[in-house]
Amino acid sequence: ILPGVVQVDWAITYAKQYFKLPPNFRVLHALKFQQIIQPKMTVMLELLYDAAKFTLTFRLHSAAGQHASGRILFGE
């Protein structure tokens, strides 16, 4: 089973590769874990970044449905 802390870390790590994020993590909002991620399960990570609000929204989903979602607020 993939731990929730790893799922959040993946969202932040991949977002840093694709978006210019502020350097500091501030707060995590609306974190939800709907289904566990089993070994060998293929999941998709969807990332949306609102640069005006410094907010990263993420979603992990697969053929089985949604697994996790949340919003991460960054700041200087």
Side-chain angles (χ1 to χ4, degrees):
I1 297 173
L2 186 65
V5 68
V6 173
Q7 296 173 47
V8 173
D9 182 64
W10 281 0
I12 294 170
T13 298
Y14 284 105
K16 285 180 179 178
Q17 291 181 16
Y18 296 102
F19 306 111
K20 185 177 179 184
L21 301 176
N24 298 319
F25 168 90
R26 303 238 3 236
V27 67
L28 185 58
H29 289 289
L31 181 61
K32 296 179 184 169
F33 297 103
Q34 291 88 356
Q35 294 187 61
I36 62 171
I37 298 174
Q38 300 278 352
K40 298 185 182 183
M41 184 178 272
T42 300
V43 294
M44 304 271 265
L45 174 60
E46 182 179 314
L47 301 169
L48 299 170
Y49 181 59
D50 183 338
K53 295 181 181 178
F54 306 115
T55 302
L56 174 70
T57 302
F58 73 93
R59 184 171 83 101
L60 280 159
H61 56 95
S62 72
Q66 186 155 304
H67 296 278
S69 62
R71 288 187 321 273
I72 304 168
L73 176 63
F74 292 88
E76 297 297 327

